[in-house]
């Protein structure tokens, strides 16, 4: 059933102690150059692809076949994984796929992994499994290990389940649901609406109600040992200082006047009131307005916060772990360096210079850029799963981030490293003469500088003139669209580019310390080991470039701007 139809109803359904509307069911830097000369790996100039060495998989992990003394003095991760069955949402997403790959590689004797897939029928679900997971280059190590039996191995472990987290009972047929509840040991919720300017109704339906639907499903599972929820480190909103690893609860560390039922009702009324393209526009505006009125940046972080509060209130006796990653980017090492899916997180900021030659950012150059490689998030998730998967009814929370590291990445360093890389390995031939990024402390200064740059580009394109213009009012219609895009990008990222928060990771560091030396090698997530220069120059940016050319084999002038 379409969500717009579902939102038109006004029935109320009780979710334990909380009521919800059922309407939601359904330039060159010489100092930097000197630093880079000591980097362990060198950047090689390439025009539209990267060195094969960047794509080589890491040496396959040697997993212990039997329990070892090292295992017994650590968390016993491999022992825990063996034979367990999992129910995973968001399986075809960035984090979900890396998680599945690591589970299968670390524990070939794992039980079944049920994957919730939004498909019309079983045939299309099976096809999605093959196209988006089995055929993905992410699984190259498993292909090498299992050779001709690879496909059979994957199909024996991965079970696609037709359903939708946005529907009652997860949209799963009752007979199938009954069978799954008999087998599942661990539920992993990695699904979510992650767009910063998402429609409010969509974000609420998945990030809030969807979380509660999974809790209800978890209570039906006969032998459930853990409910693991992937949230975001930015879930605490516009707070400066140190963000602790503590659960969110309305009335305690969330505004006491926040009423989730009322938020549902507001979105439901907007759906009934507006129609067509106006409906989408108004619901996006509503999401931004409601989030910012309560102290959050956008509806994504706001609804994820509400989702956490639902877990805190309604989990009952379910054992829960919440993982809060910061900005997840390309893999650091596993299964090979630089794997990425989608143009995400910091990419639009980097591409604004690399592709569009706009050397301006609205932000503080010394603010911290909290980036964490996706494989480290996955490893921390698996370690937490093993530690808390005993069925004990408690709630544990882990910030998986990098701002607490002794040498955190800052935006000036990120943009300088990106500038260095893109000058030597440009996205297009016309992008070799990039200027070093300039940071602006005000939106007015940013708009003035960007409009002047766009006007100059237009004059060069049409007349071959180098002169500058005084005002952006002389821009063409296309130029104004371009300016509006960059203003929108700046306002969307503004809070992150003036970031003055540090995520405490005491629990995460303690978790790592509990692991045996063997486990630390197999499931590494110590962010202090990240060499930022090496990671950005030799791993992440080549990975980003590869992903761009995978999606756009022939890079056109408007492709990146129009799509991202």
């Amino acid at each position: 059933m379409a969500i717009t139809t579902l939102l038109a109803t006004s029935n109320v359904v009780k979710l334990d102690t909380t009521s919800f509307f059922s309407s939601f069911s359904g330039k060159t830097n010489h100092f930097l150059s000197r630093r880079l000369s000591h980097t362990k790996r060198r950047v090689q100039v390439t025009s539209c692809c990267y060195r094969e060495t960047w794509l080589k998989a890491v040496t396959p992990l040697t997993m212990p076949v039997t329990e070892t003394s090292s295992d017994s003095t650590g968390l016993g991760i491999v022992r825990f994984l063996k034979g367990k069955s999992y129910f995973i949402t968001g399986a075809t997403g960035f984090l979900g796929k890396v998680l599945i790959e690591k589970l299968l590689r670390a524990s070939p004797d794992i039980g079944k992994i049920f994957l919730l897939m939004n498909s019309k029928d079983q045939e299309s679900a099976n096809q999605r499994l093959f196209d988006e997971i089995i055929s993905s280059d992410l699984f190259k190590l498993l292909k090498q290990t299992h050779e001709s039996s690879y496909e059979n191995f994957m199909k024996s472990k991965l079970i696609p389940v037709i359903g939708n987290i946005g529907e009652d009972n997860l949209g799963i047929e009752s007979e199938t649901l009954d069978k799954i509840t008999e087998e599942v040991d661990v539920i992993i919720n990695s699904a979510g609406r992650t767009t910063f300017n998402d429609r409010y109704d969509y974000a609420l339906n998945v990030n809030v109600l969807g979380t509660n639907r999974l809790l209800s499903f978890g209570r039906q599972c006969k032998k459930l040992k853990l409910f693991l929820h992937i949230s975001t480190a930015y879930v605490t909103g516009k707070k400066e200082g140190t963000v602790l690893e503590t659960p969110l609860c309305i009335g305690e560390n969330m505004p006491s006047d926040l009423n989730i039922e009322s938020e549902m009702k507001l979105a439901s009324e907007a759906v009934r009131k507006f129609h067509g393209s106006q409906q989408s526009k108004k619901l996006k505006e509503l999401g931004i307005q409601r989030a910012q009125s309560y102290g959050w940046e956008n509806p994504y972080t706001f609804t994820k916060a509400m989702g956490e509060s639902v877990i805190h209130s309604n989990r009952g006796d379910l054992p829960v772990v919440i993982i809060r990653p910061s900005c997840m980017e390309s893999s650091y090492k596993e299964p090979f360096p630089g794997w990425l899916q989608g143009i995400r997180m910091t990419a639009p900021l980097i591409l604004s210079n690399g592709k569009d030659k706009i050397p301006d950012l609205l932000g503080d150059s010394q603010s911290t850029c909290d980036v964490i490689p996706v494989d480290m998030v996955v490893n921390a998730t698996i370690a937490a799963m093993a530690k808390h998967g005993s069925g004990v009814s408690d709630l544990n929370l882990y910030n998986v981030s990098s701002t607490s590291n002794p040498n955190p990445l800052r935006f000036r360093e990120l943009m300088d490293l990106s500038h260095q890389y893109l000058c030597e390995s440009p996205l297009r031939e016309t992008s070799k003469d990039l200027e070093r990024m300039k940071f602006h402390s005000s939106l007015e200064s940013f708009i003035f500088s960007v409009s002047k740059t766009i006007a100059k580009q237009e004059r060069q394109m049409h007349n071959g003139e180098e002169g500058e213009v005084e005002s952006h009012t002389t821009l063409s219609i296309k130029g104004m669209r371009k300016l509006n895009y960059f203003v929108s990008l700046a306002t969307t990222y503004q809070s992150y580019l003036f970031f003055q928060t540090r995520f405490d990771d005491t629990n995460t560091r303690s978790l790592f310390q509990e692991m045996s030396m063997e486990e630390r090698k197999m499931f590494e997530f110590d962010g202090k080991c990240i060499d930022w220069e090496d990671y950005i120059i030799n791993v992440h940016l080549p990975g980003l470039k590869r992903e761009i050319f995978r999606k756009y084999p022939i890079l056109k002038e408007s492709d990146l701007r129009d799509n991202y």
Side-chain angles (χ1 to χ4, degrees), residues 62-72 76-80 82 106 108-109 518 522:
T62 303
M63 297 297 178
V65 177
T66 58
E67 223 176 282
T68 65
S69 58
S70 176
D71 230 352
S72 62
I77 299 176
V78 174
R79 180 176 66 248
F80 174 83
K82 184 177 181 179
D109 295 325
E518 187 173 14
M522 296 178 184

Side-chain angles (χ1 to χ4, degrees), residues 82-236:
K82 184 177 181 179
K84 299 290 190 307
S85 290
Y86 303 81
F87 183 89
I88 302 180
T89 68
T92 59
F94 180 45
L95 174 66
K97 287 169 72 169
V98 180
L99 175 60
I100 291 167
E101 192 277 340
K102 186 57 180 280
L103 287 173
L104 293 173
R105 184 159 49 91
S107 181
D109 295 325
I110 200 171
K112 296 176 183 178
I113 304 179
F114 298 96
L115 311 178
L116 188 67
M117 289 191 168
N118 188 5
S119 302
K120 63 180 180 180
D121 53 38
Q122 195 61 52
E123 182 180 357
S124 59
N126 292 338
Q127 192 63 48
R128 278 196 70 188
L129 174 66
F130 182 82
D131 294 342
E132 301 184 44
I133 295 180
I134 295 177
S135 298
S136 173
D137 63 352
L138 175 68
F139 296 85
K140 61 167 61 179
L141 279 185
L142 284 167
K143 293 177 183 178
Q144 293 171 6
T145 299
H146 296 278
E147 298 179 333
S148 61
S149 63
Y150 166 73
E151 190 171 329
N152 288 333
F153 168 75
M154 295 291 278
K155 289 181 178 179
S156 70
K157 299 296 181 180
L158 305 180
I159 314 299
V161 178
I162 302 172
N164 190 332
I165 195 173
E167 298 178 6
D168 289 335
N169 295 319
L170 306 177
I172 304 175
E173 293 182 352
S174 57
E175 185 178 345
T176 302
L177 191 66
D178 290 340
K179 291 180 180 179
I180 296 174
T181 57
E182 297 287 341
E183 298 189 45
V184 172
D185 295 284
V186 178
I187 293 173
I188 303 174
N189 181 26
S190 66
R193 301 282 302 193
T194 61
T195 305
F196 288 171
N197 63 338
D198 199 8
R199 284 179 52 141
Y200 199 33
D201 54 338
Y202 290 178
L204 285 167
N205 187 43
V206 173
N207 296 344
V208 185
L209 280 181
T211 300
N212 196 76
R213 295 184 188 107
L214 271 176
L215 284 172
S216 298
F217 167 71
R219 283 189 284 270
Q220 299 176 53
C221 295
K222 307 298 189 298
K223 57 174 186 172
L224 190 71
K225 297 172 178 61
L226 188 66
F227 182 98
L228 194 146
H229 177 72
I230 306 296
S231 185
T232 171
Y234 300 93
V235 77
T236 53

Side-chain angles (χ1 to χ4, degrees), residues 174-397:
S174 57
E175 185 178 345
T176 302
L177 191 66
D178 290 340
K179 291 180 180 179
I180 296 174
T181 57
E182 297 287 341
E183 298 189 45
V184 172
D185 295 284
V186 178
I187 293 173
I188 303 174
N189 181 26
S190 66
R193 301 282 302 193
T194 61
T195 305
F196 288 171
N197 63 338
D198 199 8
R199 284 179 52 141
Y200 199 33
D201 54 338
Y202 290 178
L204 285 167
N205 187 43
V206 173
N207 296 344
V208 185
L209 280 181
T211 300
N212 196 76
R213 295 184 188 107
L214 271 176
L215 284 172
S216 298
F217 167 71
R219 283 189 284 270
Q220 299 176 53
C221 295
K222 307 298 189 298
K223 57 174 186 172
L224 190 71
K225 297 172 178 61
L226 188 66
F227 182 98
L228 194 146
H229 177 72
I230 306 296
S231 185
T232 171
Y234 300 93
V235 77
T236 53
K238 301 177 183 180
K239 293 182 180 178
E240 296 187 357
T242 301
V243 173
L244 302 176
E245 295 166 301
T246 54
L248 291 179
C249 181
I250 294 175
E252 295 181 14
N253 48 10
M254 292 180 72
S256 58
D257 60 337
L258 172 59
N259 185 291
I260 298 179
E261 177 185 334
S262 297
E263 297 305 309
M264 299 285 185
K265 185 176 180 180
L266 278 173
S268 179
E269 290 173 347
V271 169
R272 292 195 299 269
K273 180 178 179 181
F274 302 105
H275 304 280
S277 59
Q278 186 186 36
Q279 183 186 79
S280 181
K281 178 177 181 293
K282 292 296 183 179
L283 280 157
K284 288 180 179 181
E285 291 174 351
L286 178 63
I288 293 291
Q289 185 268 321
R290 298 307 295 171
Q292 296 187 350
S293 70
Y294 280 105
W296 274 263
E297 300 87 353
N298 49 59
Y300 163 56
T301 55
F302 186 39
T303 56
K304 290 296 282 188
M306 285 191 272
E308 279 200 23
S309 72
V310 166
I311 291 175
H312 184 269
S313 301
N314 300 341
R315 71 182 184 88
D317 60 355
L318 286 181
V320 172
V321 165
I322 297 176
I323 304 293
R324 291 181 182 167
S326 54
C327 295
M328 288 187 293
E329 291 289 11
S330 57
S331 58
Y332 188 56
K333 292 182 179 180
E334 295 185 76
F336 51 84
W339 189 81
L340 188 65
Q341 178 172 289
I343 311 302
R344 52 187 294 112
M345 299 306 198
T346 60
L349 304 176
I350 295 169
L351 296 176
S352 65
N353 193 11
K355 185 264 173 189
D356 283 290
K357 300 174 69 173
I358 302 296
D360 300 275
L361 281 179
L362 176 63
D364 180 357
S365 64
Q366 293 306 305
S367 62
T368 53
C369 179
D370 201 314
V371 165
I372 192 75
V374 64
D375 50 332
M376 288 193 172
V377 177
V378 162
N379 288 338
T381 298
I382 295 174
M385 187 192 308
K387 177 176 173 59
H388 301 290
S390 61
V392 176
S393 178
D394 54 8
L395 193 160
N396 295 275
L397 198 147

Side-chain angles (χ1 to χ4, degrees), residues 278-532:
Q278 186 186 36
Q279 183 186 79
S280 181
K281 178 177 181 293
K282 292 296 183 179
L283 280 157
K284 288 180 179 181
E285 291 174 351
L286 178 63
I288 293 291
Q289 185 268 321
R290 298 307 295 171
Q292 296 187 350
S293 70
Y294 280 105
W296 274 263
E297 300 87 353
N298 49 59
Y300 163 56
T301 55
F302 186 39
T303 56
K304 290 296 282 188
M306 285 191 272
E308 279 200 23
S309 72
V310 166
I311 291 175
H312 184 269
S313 301
N314 300 341
R315 71 182 184 88
D317 60 355
L318 286 181
V320 172
V321 165
I322 297 176
I323 304 293
R324 291 181 182 167
S326 54
C327 295
M328 288 187 293
E329 291 289 11
S330 57
S331 58
Y332 188 56
K333 292 182 179 180
E334 295 185 76
F336 51 84
W339 189 81
L340 188 65
Q341 178 172 289
I343 311 302
R344 52 187 294 112
M345 299 306 198
T346 60
L349 304 176
I350 295 169
L351 296 176
S352 65
N353 193 11
K355 185 264 173 189
D356 283 290
K357 300 174 69 173
I358 302 296
D360 300 275
L361 281 179
L362 176 63
D364 180 357
S365 64
Q366 293 306 305
S367 62
T368 53
C369 179
D370 201 314
V371 165
I372 192 75
V374 64
D375 50 332
M376 288 193 172
V377 177
V378 162
N379 288 338
T381 298
I382 295 174
M385 187 192 308
K387 177 176 173 59
H388 301 290
S390 61
V392 176
S393 178
D394 54 8
L395 193 160
N396 295 275
L397 198 147
Y398 295 90
N399 285 336
V400 187
S401 56
S402 61
T403 48
S404 290
N405 294 345
N407 184 30
L409 179 68
R410 302 190 183 277
F411 272 103
R412 173 82 278 168
E413 183 176 15
L414 172 65
M415 301 317 298
D416 280 351
L417 290 168
S418 300
H419 172 261
Q420 175 82 9
Y421 176 82
L422 291 169
C423 283
E424 297 186 11
S425 182
L427 293 172
R428 295 183 290 121
E429 282 299 312
T430 57
S431 298
K432 291 183 178 181
D433 56 341
L434 300 176
E435 294 182 41
R436 186 189 182 204
M437 274 288 192
K438 302 186 292 286
F439 286 78
H440 300 269
S441 59
S442 71
L443 183 60
E444 292 76 16
S445 171
F446 173 81
I447 293 174
F448 178 79
S449 184
V450 173
S451 61
K452 193 164 67 169
T453 299
I454 295 173
K456 182 178 179 180
Q457 291 174 350
E458 289 191 331
R459 294 187 64 169
Q460 289 174 335
M461 180 178 298
H462 297 298
N463 306 319
E465 298 179 15
E466 294 293 335
E468 297 183 2
V469 296
E470 297 181 1
S471 167
H472 69 268
T473 57
T474 59
L475 294 178
S476 67
I477 295 176
K478 182 179 180 181
M480 283 301 300
R481 284 200 301 264
K482 189 173 183 178
L483 174 61
N484 290 336
Y485 165 78
F486 285 107
V487 171
S488 175
L489 189 67
T491 54
T492 298
Y493 281 84
Q494 185 172 2
S495 59
Y496 301 100
L497 282 160
F498 286 95
F499 193 64
Q500 299 298 327
T501 302
R502 167 185 169 271
F503 297 119
D504 174 61
D505 61 352
T506 300
N507 294 345
T508 306
R509 284 185 282 108
S510 296
L511 180 67
F512 189 75
Q513 291 301 317
E514 289 185 52
M515 297 164 63
S516 68
M517 293 305 296
E518 187 173 14
E519 287 176 331
R520 294 182 192 181
K521 292 176 183 178
M522 296 178 184
F523 302 93
E524 180 183 3
F525 58 89
D526 184 6
K528 296 194 300 296
C529 74
I530 300 176
D531 180 332
W532 291 115

